[in-house]
Amino acid sequence: RAPLRAIISFEMHLISSNSRVTVVSPHARHDLRNLVCVIALWVAAAGLLLLHTPRPALADVPTPMLFSSAPDEPDRQLQAIVEDVVGDLPGDWGVIVKKLDTGQYAVYNGDVQQVAASLYKLWVISDLYHEAKIGNIGLDAYGTVTYDDAAEDIALDDLRIAPGDSISMRSAARQMITVSDNTAGAFLLRQLGVDSINTFLSRNGFSRSILNVDGYGDNLTTPLDVQHELEMLATSRLVDAASSQEIVSFMLGQQINDRLPQGLPPEAKIAHKTGDLDYLLHDVGIVYGPSGPFIIVAMSSNLYNNEEGFTAMAELASRVYRYLNDNPSSPARYFPETQQTVAHDFLKFWYDYGGLPSFGYPLGPEQEENGFLVQYFERARFEIHPELAGIAAAPQPEIALGLVGAERTAQLGLRWPTSPDSGTGLYFSGTGQEITGDFLDYWQNHGADRVFGWPISPAVPMVNPTDGNTYLTQWFQRARMEYHPELPQGRNVILGTLGTELYQSR
């Protein structure tokens, strides 16, 4: 109840603190009454929003999914840790560490190819979910395991799924990741085809990775390609957000935890995948810690014995985790386009939730407004609310996005009747509005209610105040989405410049 009261108080403050009206005439009093009515209706809706739980748009995963990440920023101390751990070890080592919200980065032999071993299964599951999203395969469809699928596990006397068994694609994907089941991997590879996997690798820029096509060579990859795949997965850019969450949930359920996890404290969560052959040991993953998630890739080949690999990976994870969490970074970035700087948690949030496409450039410096530290961007307003810290299990929970959509519609006197639930999208009974089609895809895959809030209008044609053209438009508490048919497919939805409009109207 206490967190709920805090959220209600916060939402009420956002509404009241942004209604700065000076009444000097009957017309102004009339306008004020209209504004108060609009706000009163919004307050009622806000209360319902907090009490109403819509159908979930995304899979339930106990870690936050991100929607962007910072560019690589070499970190000398982090680099020194990596080199100190693996620099003198026997064998061939490749290591990469990157903190996603700050870009802190270290690399050791990142572009040297190694045999992928079971890391190829990350390619398989990513391509599987991509093919499912575009309708080429059903995750809940069943197939029959063949003897060829099970041959490797039969030879290793490690058979879990027998020839003749019927198994769903989703169940095979889960077992392929959580216990590195080779039969499940071969089964899914047969369903997808080698060409589909290699096309997936090429399409996503993994230029040094290949799934062997003739059966006589090895599957190869590099630490850099693995890091890029994990980063794209963690930020919902490899596959859609719901698919990303399900894949990460499987990786969180990994049962082979004798390498990197051995160096992590109990409160850390790691979504990871292992690989091993004779004299080869890999472990790669996304670590979720108090200061934010980071990618860690540890690959080793030509080892004298694998025990040294187990020990080194645990030490690497321990030292990297302590460094990143005991020495939190406070980044800053200058934007010459608007001659403004974004720093600290505002910059981390900007990276975490989409960066330039979601928020645009900063319009002004950090400033105090209505008792809170805020910063305006072209498409949003960031606000620091210390009372929210600890309430939400999300990156930078004390940062809230201002209700720029609700505020701008109140300024313009816009109101819409409620819409019925058509059953074709995601309906919010608290506002009586529904998200469907391209707007729903964009909402789900770019931050959902954390970034955009809930819909407060239907999708209707409106004149864009910037270019004067008419576009299909839908308003949200914290955003305005516009459908631009002239843009390439998949990039048709753009966000209106509500931050600019409010900033200029102050």
Side-chain angles (χ1 to χ4, degrees):
R1 292 180 181 176
L4 180 60
R5 286 196 299 271
I7 296 173
I8 293 173
S9 173
F10 164 57
E11 296 283 5
M12 293 291 289
H13 169 81
L14 284 180
I15 298 167
S16 62
S17 65
N18 287 286
S19 303
R20 301 189 297 276
V21 180
T22 302
V23 181
V24 294
S25 69
H27 291 293
R29 287 194 293 272
H30 176 72
D31 291 341
L32 177 60
R33 283 196 297 272
N34 288 340
L35 181 59
V36 169
C37 288
V38 171
I39 292 174
L41 289 172
W42 194 91
V43 171
L48 288 172
L49 291 180
L50 293 164
L51 298 174
H52 168 73
T53 302
R55 296 192 301 273
L58 304 176
D60 182 19
V61 173
T63 54
M65 295 300 295
L66 305 181
F67 299 91
S68 187
S69 56
D72 300 346
E73 293 286 347
D75 183 315
R76 291 182 180 179
Q77 291 177 272
L78 189 61
Q79 184 72 35
I81 290 171
V82 169
E83 293 180 4
D84 186 52
V85 174
V86 304
D88 294 327
L89 289 177
D92 300 320
W93 283 81
V95 173
I96 296 181
V97 177
K98 180 176 179 181
K99 193 161 187 294
L100 296 181
D101 57 4
T102 62
Q104 292 168 271
Y105 184 80
V107 57
Y108 183 87
N109 292 335
D111 205 28
V112 177
Q113 280 185 321
Q114 297 195 41
V115 174
S118 284
L119 297 187
Y120 89 90
K121 294 166 185 173
L122 291 174
W123 308 338
V124 173
I125 195 170
S126 299
D127 188 45
L128 172 69
Y129 276 75
H130 168 74
E131 292 297 312
K133 179 65 176 178
I134 62 178
N136 290 341
I137 199 167
L139 292 174
D140 294 316
Y142 278 76
T144 301
V145 174
T146 67
Y147 182 87
D148 285 344
D149 295 337
E152 183 175 359
D153 283 336
I154 291 173
L156 295 172
D157 194 23
D158 190 30
L159 189 67
R160 298 179 183 86
I161 309 169
D165 285 354
S166 180
I167 188 170
S168 73
M169 307 299 157
R170 178 177 276 111
S171 178
R174 180 186 295 108
Q175 294 187 60
M176 178 182 68
I177 297 299
T178 57
V179 294
S180 202
D181 192 277
N182 295 312
T183 302
F187 167 80
L188 290 175
L189 185 55
R190 178 167 57 84
Q191 306 299 320
L192 294 166
V194 171
D195 288 344
S196 179
I197 302 296
N198 282 324
T199 299
F200 159 81
L201 294 171
S202 176
R203 181 177 65 242
N204 287 287
F206 307 139
S207 60
R208 301 296 307 281
S209 298
I210 187 169
L211 186 69
N212 174 46
V213 294
D214 58 18
Y216 294 99
D218 290 315
N219 303 325
L220 300 175
T221 191
T222 67
L224 273 171
D225 276 3
V226 174
Q227 178 245 319
H228 290 154
E229 179 172 9
L230 292 174
E231 185 171 353
M232 292 175 72
L233 181 62
T235 55
S236 305
R237 292 178 291 161
L238 190 64
V239 289
D240 64 284
S243 298
S244 298
Q245 286 197 322
E246 185 152 294
I247 294 171
V248 168
S249 74
F250 293 161
M251 295 171 68
L252 285 165
Q254 175 64 250
Q255 296 180 31
I256 304 171
N257 294 311
D258 52 6
R259 291 157 229 189
L260 292 174
Q262 290 298 309
L264 298 173
E267 66 269 17
K269 297 177 181 177
I270 179 170
H272 68 122
K273 181 70 190 76
T274 61
D276 52 89
L277 296 169
D278 290 339
Y279 309 112
L280 175 152
L281 207 63
H282 304 326
D283 200 358
V284 305
I286 312 160
V287 177
Y288 298 92
S291 73
F294 64 89
I295 303 294
I296 183 166
V297 174
M299 299 175 61
S300 58
S301 304
N302 299 317
L303 301 177
Y304 293 151
N305 65 77
N306 283 4
E307 287 305 315
E308 290 178 330
F310 290 118
T311 302
M313 289 183 187
E315 181 185 356
L316 178 69
S318 175
R319 292 182 61 179
V320 167
Y321 184 90
R322 289 201 310 271
Y323 171 71
L324 293 177
N325 285 279
D326 293 347
N327 303 279
S329 174
S330 184
R333 176 178 172 183
Y334 176 74
F335 291 84
E337 295 83 358
T338 56
Q339 298 182 333
Q340 300 296 330
T341 297
V342 183
H344 314 301
D345 287 340
F346 278 166
L347 184 60
K348 293 179 182 179
F349 190 99
W350 189 86
Y351 283 131
D352 285 349
Y353 286 101
L356 194 63
S358 292
F359 307 120
Y361 292 112
L363 299 175
E366 294 180 359
Q367 57 192 288
E368 187 171 305
E369 189 173 281
N370 303 309
F372 294 92
L373 187 65
V374 308
Q375 188 165 19
Y376 278 84
F377 294 78
E378 291 174 306
R379 296 178 172 86
R381 184 181 65 238
F382 289 10
E383 305 177 351
I384 293 228
H385 287 264
E387 72 277 13
L388 294 181
I391 290 178
Q396 290 82 52
E398 72 282 1
I399 295 180
L401 289 171
L403 303 174
V404 292
E407 293 168 24
R408 186 60 173 155
T409 56
Q411 276 188 351
L412 299 174
L414 299 174
R415 296 179 63 185
W416 296 269
T418 59
S419 304
D421 184 354
S422 70
T424 61
L426 187 63
Y427 187 77
F428 295 81
S429 62
T431 57
Q433 303 295 344
E434 184 178 29
I435 321 175
T436 61
D438 291 290
F439 287 154
L440 178 58
D441 283 344
Y442 192 92
W443 187 89
Q444 289 177 321
N445 290 301
H446 293 84
D449 54 353
R450 179 80 164 110
V451 172
F452 308 113
W454 291 22
I456 56 176
S457 84
V460 293
M462 290 191 69
V463 175
N464 183 295
T466 302
D467 62 16
N469 293 325
T470 299
Y471 302 103
L472 186 66
T473 302
Q474 187 164 20
W475 291 77
F476 295 77
Q477 294 168 302
R478 299 179 171 91
R480 182 180 69 229
M481 292 186 189
E482 302 163 0
Y483 183 79
H484 287 245
E486 76 279 8
L487 297 177
Q489 184 65 33
R491 291 185 285 172
N492 302 99
V493 176
I494 67 172
L495 300 177
T497 55
L498 290 178
T500 299
E501 294 168 33
L502 284 173
Y503 191 71
Q504 293 175 344
S505 68
R506 295 185 308 165

